[in-house]
């Protein structure tokens, strides 16, 4: 027979088999082809490393040497040329990050990323950062504006030379607009917004004030924890466990709560970010040098927030960290002075309650009815219809798009005043000691920050930078009406009013977002919730006894994982379990885990995962029911206060049965045992284990350094993200570590001894996936291995020439 011997079904099966085989081959072929295309795009987008380039605007030639980690060392004749070269080098490595920063600050994300970004754009447009940026540039000195112009020219020259834009621009299908001086101001404003936006805390506190008795409100919102009081005591009752407490009022609140369990009203502690910084004076080091240590705790991403650079010009030598988009060395050393920053953990924003009038176009002001001024904004939305915004302005600031307790509120924020932002930090290259530097930082605008200083002569200092509001008539905790002229701001504190500490008797200064001595007297309303008490106390205790301190000791302290913070919860659990574990295997596992904790947050530490989960469950279970009325007033309400452990522990230690958050339990030991069992079950589920027995901290604590946009994509994301690794440290450790935030840099440096300094970064210098410098510093950062503060030996060199250079020099 000439026909097939196969049956019809067999023929179909064969056809399907062949189809699937050829489909698979096609998919693989397409995948390989796509991979080759992508690899080609990536390769073309990477900058050429050597040779010479012409940069219009340079007054003389500039050399940029790159070491093995692609850290640029810039040699120029003057400051202007050096920053033009910095703009050029930074754009070649971090262009997409720079563009993302200015778009976020100006409210122009949706025109590239679609409707998901509209809410963020609305907030930025309401604040009007783009208008503020323009006024900041207008108010600059000619010298500083000239530097921003030069930096912009360097950025734009780098973009014009790109054979292919970075892959993010290809993926999202757009081209960046030319860089302007105003964009650098936007980057600085965006950084200020991240570190000074306390609006959510004010919203939370305002709801609590409406819902809770005054005594309970005060009890649940202490200004820091007991460690803060040890460092900067304000009186015997601020942290006394036997001080009067509103237990009867809390019991009444709990009595009125629905019998069903209330939970989920407490924010996660990982939402907090901060920093550590300390300085050791010459009397505590071996040779009289003063050493500065700074590890800033911001969100982790690939690329990281900072870009390393060294600038040498006109006798100046600056080294340290820059923020892509801003012509500033934000922290580092100039050879005479080293400086570092931490967040003030302060309150620099007020939500002014607007009193309406009979005329909806007016509001009540100190001098009667005032008209709203309307500003129109258009948000372009990729793939959708543009969104029109009519933003109303008051004498205090723009009207928020979000009401507070059914009231409209105006946003009074330091950074919306153009006088609060400047580039005075640029003049750090000219200061020679801590007193000169202190004076400079009192004039500097930008994020309100603690500044820690060390100089070549062995002196140390602490002060604050940024514009700090002078409130009157209220303390800023809650939203208030300013219509009666009895509340408001009287501008900012003058430079001479800002406190400083120079060369204290202890020989060291520490700030880890804690309240500093003297701040409460200077401006008690600057901060309400100082959340770095434990870290600052731990560092202070270790430094107090140290002598002959060296850079290696400072790094070891940055990597310290001892955490006494959780000892209370360990003791509580073991006290309850002492008479309860018996033959119960689950409780036996819990007890064994608790007993096995070594007091540290190392990868191999057992017990800590359960302690952290146990504390989290306790906070939620004990505090959430008290906040039930708050959620009734505001459906989005969540309580987040770093000092929550003070009221939590006092409630538990009261042993009052009427304070039990769940009436299903007859006493506190029964309730705590149930919380321990729930914590163990949830922890085992998170770890994918049958039990918590032997569960180590490294199994739960992972560092995730991901691309902010493409990192979450299936398959593709893995090429943009750093490997997920076990992470040492914890939220309440000197070595701060959370799931997506941690040390965005670790720096240790003594002025005039930079060769002995240390500087670690997550990820790498380059923001371009496929570059050998995209993640080459990640492994050392995870391990805490010391990396040199100064750039290493040059392996590549670029020569940048002015456009008036001889033709022969341009070849």
């Amino acid at each position: 027979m000439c026909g097939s011997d196969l049956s019809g079904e067999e023929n179909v099966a064969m056809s399907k088999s062949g189809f699937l085989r050829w489909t698979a081959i096609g998919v693989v072929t397409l995948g390989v082809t796509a991979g080759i295309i992508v690899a080609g795009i990536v390769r073309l987008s990477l900058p050429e490393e050597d040779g010479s380039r012409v940069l219009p605007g340079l007054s003389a030639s500039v050399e940029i040497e790159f070491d093995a980690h692609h850290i640029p060392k810039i040699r120029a004749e003057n400051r202007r040329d050096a920053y033009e070269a910095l703009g050029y080098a930074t754009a070649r490595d971090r262009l997409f990050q720079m563009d993302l920063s200015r778009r976020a600050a100006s409210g122009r994300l949706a025109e590239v990323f679609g409707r998901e970004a509209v809410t963020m754009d609305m907030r930025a447009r309401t604040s009007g950062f783009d208008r503020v940026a323009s006024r900041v540039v207008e108010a600059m000195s000619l010298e500083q504006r000239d530097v921003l112009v030069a930096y912009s020219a360097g950025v734009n020259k780098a973009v014009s030379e790109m054979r292919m834009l970075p892959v993010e621009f290809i993926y999202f299908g757009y081209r960046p607009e030319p860089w302007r001086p105003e964009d650098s101001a936007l980057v600085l404003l965006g950084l200020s917004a991240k570190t000074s936006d306390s609006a959510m805390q004010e919203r939370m506190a305002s709801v609590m004030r409406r819902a809770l008795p005054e005594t309970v409100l005060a009890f649940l919102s202490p200004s820091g924890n007991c460690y803060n009081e040890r460092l900067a005591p304000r009186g015997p009752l601020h942290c006394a466990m036997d001080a009067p407490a509103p237990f009867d009022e809390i019991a009444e609140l709990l009595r009125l709560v629905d019998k069903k369990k209330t939970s989920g009203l407490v924010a996660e502690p990982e939402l907090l970010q901060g920093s550590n910084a300390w300085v050791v004076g010459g009397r505590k080091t071996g040779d009289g040098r003063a050493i500065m240590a700074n590890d800033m705790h911001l969100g982790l991403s690939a690329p990281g927030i900072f870009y390393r650079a060294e600038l040498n010009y006109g006798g100046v030598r600056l080294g340290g960290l820059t923020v892509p988009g801003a012509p500033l060395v934000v922290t580092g050393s100039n050879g005479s002075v080293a400086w570092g920053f931490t967040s003030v953990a302060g309150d620099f924003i007020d939500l002014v309650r607007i009193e309406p009038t009979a005329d909806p176009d007016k509001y009540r002001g100190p001098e009667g009815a005032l008209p709203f001024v309307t500003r129109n904004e258009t948000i372009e939305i990729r793939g959708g219809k543009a969104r029109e915004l009519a933003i109303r302005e008051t004498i205090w600031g723009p009207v928020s798009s979000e009401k507070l307790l059914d009231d409209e509120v105006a946003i009074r924020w330091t950074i919306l005043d153009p006088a609060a932002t400047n580039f005075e930090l640029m003049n750090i290259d000219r200061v020679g000691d801590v007193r000169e530097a202190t004076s400079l930082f009192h004039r500097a605008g930008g994020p309100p920050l603690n500044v820690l200083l060390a100089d070549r002569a062995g002196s140390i200092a602490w002060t604050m930078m940024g514009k700090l509001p002078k409130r009157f008539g209220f303390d800023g905790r809650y939203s208030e009406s300013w219509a009666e002229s009895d509340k408001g701001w009287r501008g900012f504190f003058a430079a001479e009013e800002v406190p400083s500490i120079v060369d204290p008797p202890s020989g060291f200064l520490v700030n880890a977002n804690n309240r500093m001595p003297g701040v409460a007297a200077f401006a008690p309303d600057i901060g309400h919730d100082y959340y770095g008490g434990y870290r600052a106390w731990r560092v202070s205790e270790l430094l107090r006894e140290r002598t002959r301190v060296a850079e290696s000791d400072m790094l070891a302290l940055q990597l310290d994982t001892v955490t006494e913070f959780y000892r209370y919860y360990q003791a509580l659990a073991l006290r309850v379990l002492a008479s309860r574990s018996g033959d119960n295997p689950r409780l036996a596992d819990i007890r064994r885990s608790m007993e096995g904790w070594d007091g540290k947050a190392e990868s191999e530490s057992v017990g800590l995962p359960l302690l952290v989960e146990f504390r989290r469950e306790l906070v939620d279970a004990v505090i959430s029911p008290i906040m039930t009325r708050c959620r009734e007033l505001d459906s989005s309400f969540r309580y987040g206060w770093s000092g929550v452990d003070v009221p939590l522990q006092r409630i538990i230690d009261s042993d009052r049965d009427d304070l039990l958050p769940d009436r299903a339990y007859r006493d506190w030991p029964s309730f705590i045992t149930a919380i321990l069992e729930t914590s163990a079950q949830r922890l085992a589920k998170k770890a994918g284990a049958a039990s918590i027995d032997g569960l180590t901290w490294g199994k739960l604590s992972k560092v995730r350094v991901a691309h902010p946009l493409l990192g979450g994509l299936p398959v593709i994301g893995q090429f943009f993200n750093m490997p997920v690794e076990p992470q040492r440290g914890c939220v309440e450790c000197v070595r701060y570590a959370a799931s997506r935030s941690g040390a965005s840099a670790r720096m240790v440096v003594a002025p005039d001894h930079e060769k002995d300094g240390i500087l670690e970064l997550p990820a790498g210098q380059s923001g371009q996936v496929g570059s050998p410098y995209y993640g080459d510093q990640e492994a050392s950062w995870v391990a805490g291995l010391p990396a040199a503060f100064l750039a290493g030996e040059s392996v590549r060199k670029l020569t940048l020439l002015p456009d008036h250079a001889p033709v022969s020099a341009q070849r």
Side-chain angles (χ1 to χ4, degrees), residues 654-733:
S654 74
D655 204 32
R656 288 180 49 159
D657 291 344
D658 58 350
L659 298 183
L660 277 167
D662 191 335
R663 301 184 198 118
Y665 300 95
R666 66 179 184 275
D667 55 27
W668 278 97
S670 300
F671 170 75
I672 290 168
T673 301
I675 294 294
L676 281 167
E677 292 193 90
T678 299
S679 301
Q681 291 169 1
R682 291 187 177 176
L683 188 61
K685 185 176 181 180
K686 286 181 182 179
S691 78
I692 61 166
D693 194 28
L695 186 64
T696 63
W697 184 235
K699 292 287 187 182
L700 271 296
S701 178
K702 305 283 188 179
V703 60
R704 293 171 173 82
V705 181
H707 190 282
L709 293 176
L710 301 182
L713 294 177
V715 182
I716 294 176
Q718 63 181 319
F719 297 104
F720 289 86
N721 300 338
M722 299 298 106
V724 176
E725 304 271 7
Q727 182 174 210
R728 299 159 59 199
C730 65
V731 171
E732 291 293 347
C733 291

Side-chain angles (χ1 to χ4, degrees), residues 542-722:
L542 292 175
L543 286 179
R544 202 177 309 282
E545 305 302 323
R546 297 278 178 91
T547 57
R548 303 184 66 83
V549 176
E551 283 84 350
S552 57
D553 300 311
M554 302 284 261
L555 175 62
L557 188 46
Q558 288 179 330
L559 299 174
D560 180 76
T561 63
V562 172
T563 176
E564 295 294 323
F565 181 85
Y566 292 101
R567 286 297 190 189
Y568 170 89
Y569 301 99
Q570 181 190 36
L572 174 65
L574 291 175
R575 186 168 66 246
V576 169
L577 291 170
S579 60
R580 289 176 176 263
S581 51
D583 297 327
N584 186 323
R586 293 195 307 274
L587 294 182
D589 284 348
I590 292 170
R591 181 173 181 175
R592 188 162 49 250
S593 180
M594 289 292 188
E595 289 175 336
W597 183 46
D598 59 4
K600 298 179 180 179
E602 293 290 332
S603 295
E604 64 274 14
S605 296
V606 297
L608 184 59
L610 180 57
L611 277 167
V612 172
E613 189 73 22
F614 174 49
R615 174 189 172 272
R616 182 184 290 118
E617 290 288 334
L618 268 181
V619 171
D620 186 34
V622 174
I623 302 298
S624 284
I626 303 173
M627 299 294 176
T628 301
R629 174 62 179 152
C630 299
R631 177 58 68 87
E632 292 171 355
L633 292 177
D634 182 350
S635 61
S636 64
F637 175 86
R638 294 192 78 194
Y639 169 83
W641 206 270
S642 70
V644 64
D645 295 86
V646 176
L648 172 68
Q649 292 173 20
R650 295 200 62 191
I651 290 171
I652 293 171
D653 291 345
S654 74
D655 204 32
R656 288 180 49 159
D657 291 344
D658 58 350
L659 298 183
L660 277 167
D662 191 335
R663 301 184 198 118
Y665 300 95
R666 66 179 184 275
D667 55 27
W668 278 97
S670 300
F671 170 75
I672 290 168
T673 301
I675 294 294
L676 281 167
E677 292 193 90
T678 299
S679 301
Q681 291 169 1
R682 291 187 177 176
L683 188 61
K685 185 176 181 180
K686 286 181 182 179
S691 78
I692 61 166
D693 194 28
L695 186 64
T696 63
W697 184 235
K699 292 287 187 182
L700 271 296
S701 178
K702 305 283 188 179
V703 60
R704 293 171 173 82
V705 181
H707 190 282
L709 293 176
L710 301 182
L713 294 177
V715 182
I716 294 176
Q718 63 181 319
F719 297 104
F720 289 86
N721 300 338
M722 299 298 106

Side-chain angles (χ1 to χ4, degrees), residues 246-286:
F247 292 145
D248 292 339
E249 292 89 338
I250 293 173
E252 179 62 17
L253 285 170
L254 293 173
R255 189 183 67 80
L256 298 174
V257 171
D258 192 329
K259 289 184 179 181
K260 65 183 179 182
K261 185 178 179 182
T262 302
S263 63
L265 303 190
V266 179
E268 294 290 330
E270 285 82 354
L271 297 178
L272 294 175
Q273 297 179 355
S275 299
N276 298 329
W278 57 87
V279 282
V280 174
R283 290 187 288 109
K284 291 185 76 71
T285 58

Side-chain angles (χ1 to χ4, degrees), residues 118-254:
V118 169
T119 300
M120 289 183 286
D121 281 354
M122 287 177 63
R123 289 172 180 160
R125 296 291 184 95
T126 299
S127 296
F129 289 141
D130 54 343
R131 298 160 67 244
V132 177
S134 296
R135 294 173 64 186
V136 167
V137 173
E138 288 173 6
M140 279 182 188
S141 69
L142 291 176
E143 182 183 17
Q144 291 182 15
R145 192 183 309 170
D146 195 37
V147 169
L148 265 67
V149 169
Y151 184 88
S152 300
V155 172
N156 293 328
K157 178 62 175 176
V159 176
S160 72
E161 291 180 352
M162 290 180 176
R163 298 169 296 175
M164 185 77 71
L165 288 170
V167 292
E168 291 93 340
F169 292 103
I170 306 299
Y171 182 86
F172 291 109
Y174 80 103
R175 291 189 61 84
E177 295 172 358
W179 196 265
R180 310 165 303 149
E182 290 81 2
D183 295 325
S184 291
L186 278 168
V187 170
L188 188 56
L189 284 165
L191 188 61
S192 296
K194 288 179 182 178
T195 57
S196 69
D197 187 353
S198 55
M200 290 306 297
Q201 187 184 67
E202 185 166 322
R203 287 179 177 276
M204 174 192 71
S206 298
V207 174
M208 289 172 63
R209 183 173 66 166
R210 177 79 62 88
L212 304 175
E214 185 176 346
T215 53
V216 176
L217 172 64
F219 181 68
L220 292 172
S221 53
S223 59
N225 52 33
C226 291
Y227 296 104
N228 272 289
E229 298 305 324
R230 297 182 199 180
L231 294 162
R234 295 171 299 160
L237 292 180
H238 278 285
C239 199
M241 297 305 281
D242 57 351
F247 292 145
D248 292 339
E249 292 89 338
I250 293 173
E252 179 62 17
L253 285 170
L254 293 173

